[in-house]
Each structure stands twice: as structure tokens, then as C-alpha cells.
Amino acid sequence: MWDSPTVADLSNFLSLIDDDGDLAAELIAAFRLCINEQMHKLTDAFDCQDHCAWRDAAHSLKGVYLNLGAAPLGDLCRRAQHAYDENQDNKRVLLSEIRREDARLQAYLVQFSAVRTPPCAREVGPPVFPNPAFESVRDA
Amino acid sequence: MTIDVYERHAAPALIDRIAKISKTPQGWGVINIRRNYLRTTTNEAFMLVLRPALIEAPEAYVYFVDDKNIYVVWRDHVQKIFRLTRATIGNSLVRAGLDINPSIIVTYFDAPQQGGTLLAMLRADYPPVPHSADQEMRFNPSQNTEDEDLMMIDNAAPLLHASGEQILRYHDMRNQKIHRKYLSLLVVEDQVFTQRLLCEILRGIRLRNNNESPIIESTGTLGEGWRIFLKKAPDICFIDLNLLDGSGHMLARAIKEVDPGARVAIVTANAFDEEMSVAQENNVDHFIAKPFNKQRILNCVNHYIETSKGPSRVGFADCR
């Protein structure tokens, strides 16, 4: 029984690009740019109480997270997208959850970039596809 | 057999005819003939050459619309008469020394499927002009430039317009698909990461018989996607729903209005019932939910190859 959900499972993403490490690095760089841009939009939409902009930014984030394999973040963004017309308090909670989960994902991606090959990661519990290289970086 | 020939007021007569036949389920063929590729002949001489090709049609209509376009409309034996007219034109009417594929000169429109599109195109190119009873309707090239005389696709964004000339060029390009040995694919997706990922997946597809990889065009905007579609007549268009300048649904609908046979796949993280029903209303061929799945994308490509006359001659596709 895991206490924490999977941050990301990159196995599908990697299989889509035939486990090409260089391409994965390029795409992850593009992923980071997209996330930064959309996270700014989501934050701006929250500050300006712009419901439509909030919904669109949450939708865009959802698609990008899902395609990388960050399902929990995809689900959070799905919730945010549906909650576009809710009050600011509810949105604030969602926004902070998304930011927190994104920080975990970014940390995981840093580790991934360092070892290049982990197909998945779990914060608690064994990885779905054990990878000694990844485990050694995590233990260090 | 009767053949009615229209030389005066041909455009409004043609528009009336297309409006009538587009409501009938089947049995009518329409072709556009580019006159600037033909030998300079009188209309009578043209009809003398063309008439035998139309002999089996119970009724046929020939419209000398302007100095660039002739339209022929006929009932029954649609495919046979189309082939005969194209061969007749290619053999006997093309200007000497012009080595050109007859499908460039003759564009076929399937009346039940493409009647609406053709009608919209004709109405844009030949708007009603008030004239006296004896005034002949004349084509004025200065009123018909690509930039100025634009046709709006019904209910679509202002970005989604095309001149009649652009649509004709699209259909020419579409007719060339059968000669392609590769797949031509269009990706319209505004998120750079997702766009690149989809392009990489598609780039990995190989046609089984010749190992050709597809030619992929990609863009993040509706307007650019529309422009590329008209210019390249891609085999399959992969379209995201939330684009920077509008909804992918509008682009899908505009594409299907111009060419109901064009293949459109919606790729979206919004796999909700309402989105799917809009896609169904637009006759979208595939609905691919994110995250991407390689097999689903490959199935989509293979479905196109199985059911089209395009690169099917070179067999099915595999992923690398």
C-alpha cells in the first residue's frame, strides 16, 4: 500500500520516442518551457479572476502533463479546469496543490536527466520498473 | 440526350443547377475545366470535340462561365463520362507543347458530397450583379484576386476563408495524392512539447513496402493550419481542440466542408462526450485522447491507408 501516488510514469512517453535519450532530453526541455508558460497563465488568471483564462490554462497544463506521464498532475489540472467558475478560495487550494506537485515532478525530472533512463518513479515504495542507476542517484 | 450550352449569364445558371443537384442523392457529375490550358477555340469548336464524350448522359449542361473556367454538369454514368471528358480534353484540346497532367486541367466535384462547397465557392466568385435584360454578365479578373475575393466557410472563424482559386488548387493537389509514395501529415497543436512529441511519433511511421517516412507539417495556429491544408492537401490532419486563435472544431469543420473525404483526427485532453459529439457532427474520422498511444495513432494511419486511394499502393504502415 503506497502512501504517496506516483509522481510520473515516463514509460509510455519513452516508448513513444523509442527510448531515445537525446530526444527525451530535448522534449523534456520543451516540456519545461510549456509548463512555465502555462503556469504563469494559470497564476495570472487566478490573480485577475479570469475564469476562461483559468480554464484554458488548466486544460493546456493537463494535456502536457498527461503526455509526459504525470497522471496525478493531469488529474489535478482536470479538477482545476472543471472548477473554473468556483470561488477564489477553492482555486487557491487547487493552485497550491498543482504547484506543490509540479515541484515534485521537476525534482524528479532533474534526477531523470541525470541518470537518463528511469522508466518511472515513485516517491514511496519500489519503482514500477526497478532501475539500479536511478536508485543509486536517489540514495545518494 | 440533350446538351444545354450556356454562354450568357452562365454563372447564375450554373449556381441554380448546382443548388438543385446538390439536393439529389446521387447520379450527377460536375467538372471544372481550366480554359487557360486549352487551345484557343470558339465555344462551338469546343462543343464539337466534347459532345461525343457526353453522348451517354441523358442530360448535360455546359457553362462557359468566363475566360478561365468552363463547367460541365451531367446526369448518370458519372465516372465513365468523367474519364471520357478528361481523356478528350487531354487528347484534343490541350494547347500544343503543353506537357501537363489532365487532372490539373479538369477538376471533378462529387455533386452530392461536394455540392455545398462548390456552391459556396461559385457564389463567392460570381456574386449576383444587377444587370439589365440585355447586359451580358462578364467576368472581371480584377474583382477576383486571391486576396480580395474571399469565401467565408459557413459559421467558421474569419481566419478560415479561401478563394475559389485556392479551393480549386486544393482539389488539384488532392487529385495528385494517388501518385504520392509517401504520407503527408499535418499537425495543428499549440503546445510545443505536445506538437514535437506527436511529430516524433508520426516521423517514426514507415510505409511497409517502401520504408518511406511521412512528410510532416506542423503549426500551432488555426489560421496557419488552414493555409497548409489548402496548400498541401495532407493525407491526415491531426488537430488539437484548444488552439491559440480558435477551436480545432472550427478547423475540422472547414476542412470537411471543402473536402468531405479529407481525414481529420482530433487529438485532445478534453475527451468529454460533448466534444466527441461536436466532432461527430463535423464528421471527424478519429478522436484521439491524450496521453498519446502509439498503437492508436498507427491504427489511425493504417485506417487511412486501407480506405483511401492514396499511398495504399505502397502498403501498410509500421512504427520504426
Side-chain angles (χ1 to χ4, degrees):
Chain A
M1 193 70 178
W2 313 125
D3 296 331
S4 173
T6 307
V7 179
D9 179 352
L10 303 190
S11 51
N12 182 57
F13 164 69
L14 291 172
S15 78
L16 291 174
I17 54 171
D18 300 313
D19 287 293
D20 182 333
D22 292 340
L23 185 55
E26 271 182 51
L27 286 169
I28 286 172
F31 167 83
R32 284 209 176 96
L33 285 175
C34 280
I35 293 298
N36 280 344
E37 186 188 339
Q38 293 304 324
M39 202 64 93
H40 276 301
K41 285 185 181 173
L42 190 71
T43 307
D44 286 347
F46 174 77
D47 292 340
C48 305
Q49 301 189 29
D50 183 338
H51 297 332
C52 291
W54 168 276
R55 185 187 54 199
D56 290 348
H59 166 77
S60 295
L61 282 167
K62 180 182 68 177
V64 175
Y65 282 132
L66 287 176
N67 269 325
L68 186 77
L73 270 159
D75 286 341
L76 269 176
C77 292
R78 182 179 289 118
R79 277 169 53 199
Q81 184 185 352
H82 288 297
Y84 71 99
D85 56 354
E86 287 189 8
N87 63 45
Q88 286 292 91
D89 290 341
N90 289 350
K91 283 185 179 175
R92 185 176 291 109
V93 172
L94 278 167
L95 185 57
S96 64
E97 277 187 61
I98 291 171
R99 280 181 179 150
R100 191 168 52 242
E101 195 68 19
D102 183 65
R104 292 174 66 208
L105 176 66
Q106 298 300 337
Y108 167 63
L109 290 177
V110 169
Q111 290 182 328
F112 169 80
S113 298
V115 296
R116 293 206 161 204
T117 50
C120 71
R122 281 177 189 273
E123 202 169 63
V124 178
V128 176
F129 303 103
N131 185 311
F134 177 52
E135 289 304 299
S136 64
V137 168
R138 217 169 58 160
D139 292 344
Chain B
M1 179 202 62
T2 60
I3 300 178
D4 290 350
V5 178
Y6 292 80
E7 293 174 287
R8 292 159 62 87
H9 311 308
L14 173 63
I15 288 169
D16 280 352
R17 176 66 49 196
I18 301 296
K20 280 178 195 162
I21 66 171
S22 60
K23 289 174 190 160
T24 60
Q26 55 193 2
W28 287 90
V30 183
I31 54 172
N32 166 268
I33 303 164
R34 304 272 183 92
R35 197 161 191 172
N36 46 333
Y37 293 113
L38 304 186
R39 284 191 282 118
T40 310
T41 60
T42 61
N43 293 349
E44 290 78 14
F46 177 88
M47 283 309 304
L48 274 175
V49 177
L50 192 70
R51 187 177 290 271
L54 298 169
I55 199 92
E56 287 191 46
E59 52 184 314
Y61 305 87
V62 181
Y63 301 86
F64 294 94
V65 173
D66 53 41
D67 54 0
K68 286 184 180 169
N69 294 287
I70 303 167
Y71 284 83
V72 182
V73 181
W74 70 95
R75 183 160 64 82
D76 292 348
H77 307 292
V78 172
Q79 288 299 321
K80 184 178 179 184
I81 291 175
F82 166 56
R83 284 196 293 270
L84 275 171
T85 50
R86 193 174 58 178
T88 304
I89 288 162
N91 293 338
S92 312
L93 288 165
V94 175
R95 267 190 282 158
L98 195 63
D99 182 18
I100 193 165
N101 190 320
S103 61
I104 303 282
I105 305 168
V106 181
T107 304
Y108 174 75
F109 292 90
D110 183 60
Q113 289 240 320
Q114 296 167 292
T117 307
L118 180 58
L119 204 54
M121 188 182 88
L122 290 168
R123 282 176 176 152
D125 282 351
Y126 307 104
V129 179
H131 54 83
S132 60
D134 58 356
Q135 182 187 1
E136 187 168 350
M137 190 183 222
R138 283 206 170 272
F139 174 68
N140 182 352
S142 67
Q143 292 174 351
N144 194 40
T145 61
E146 195 169 305
D147 294 333
E148 291 169 4
D149 188 14
L150 297 172
M151 179 191 80
M152 182 90 85
I153 299 295
D154 293 343
N155 303 319
L159 290 165
L160 301 177
H161 51 225
S163 66
E165 185 65 25
Q166 279 177 303
I167 291 178
L168 277 177
R169 272 207 304 268
Y170 166 80
H171 283 283
D172 284 345
M173 183 65 79
R174 188 202 60 171
N175 292 338
Q176 299 299 312
K177 275 187 193 178
I178 195 162
H179 303 298
R180 287 184 193 156
K181 290 273 196 294
Y182 58 88
L183 283 166
S184 167
L185 306 172
L186 169 64
V187 173
V188 188
E189 162 67 63
D190 61 339
Q191 296 302 313
V192 176
F193 165 73
T194 314
Q195 186 193 102
R196 274 216 60 192
L197 180 60
L198 182 53
C199 287
E200 290 300 333
I201 299 166
L202 295 171
R203 202 162 282 131
I205 289 174
R206 294 282 183 277
L207 289 172
R208 213 172 270 173
N209 289 11
N210 65 6
N211 207 32
E212 282 287 331
S213 56
I215 304 279
I216 302 165
E217 299 269 351
S218 59
T219 176
T221 64
L222 191 84
E224 184 66 3
W226 176 239
R227 192 190 66 76
I228 295 171
F229 166 77
L230 289 173
K231 198 172 173 190
K232 305 278 172 134
D235 294 302
I236 310 174
C237 307
F238 294 88
I239 303 171
D240 181 36
L241 285 184
N242 278 35
L243 298 168
L244 293 170
D245 50 350
S247 163
H249 283 312
M250 292 195 297
L251 179 57
R253 186 165 61 226
I255 286 172
K256 286 290 188 177
E257 283 182 13
V258 165
D259 180 5
R263 298 302 168 91
V264 176
I266 292 289
V267 286
T268 182
N270 263 355
F272 306 134
D273 288 346
E274 57 266 38
E275 301 287 9
M276 287 189 191
S277 65
V278 174
Q280 275 179 340
E281 281 170 24
N282 291 336
N283 294 316
V284 161
D285 303 276
H286 301 273
F287 198 91
I288 300 172
K290 293 173 186 172
F292 294 138
N293 172 304
K294 198 181 244 180
Q295 192 55 50
R296 283 203 68 186
I297 292 168
L298 191 61
N299 289 347
C300 168
V301 172
N302 275 332
H303 180 262
Y304 167 74
I305 292 173
E306 273 181 89
T307 55
S308 74
K309 292 173 184 170
S312 57
R313 297 181 306 146
V314 288
F316 288 92
D318 277 326
C319 277
R320 66 184 165 202

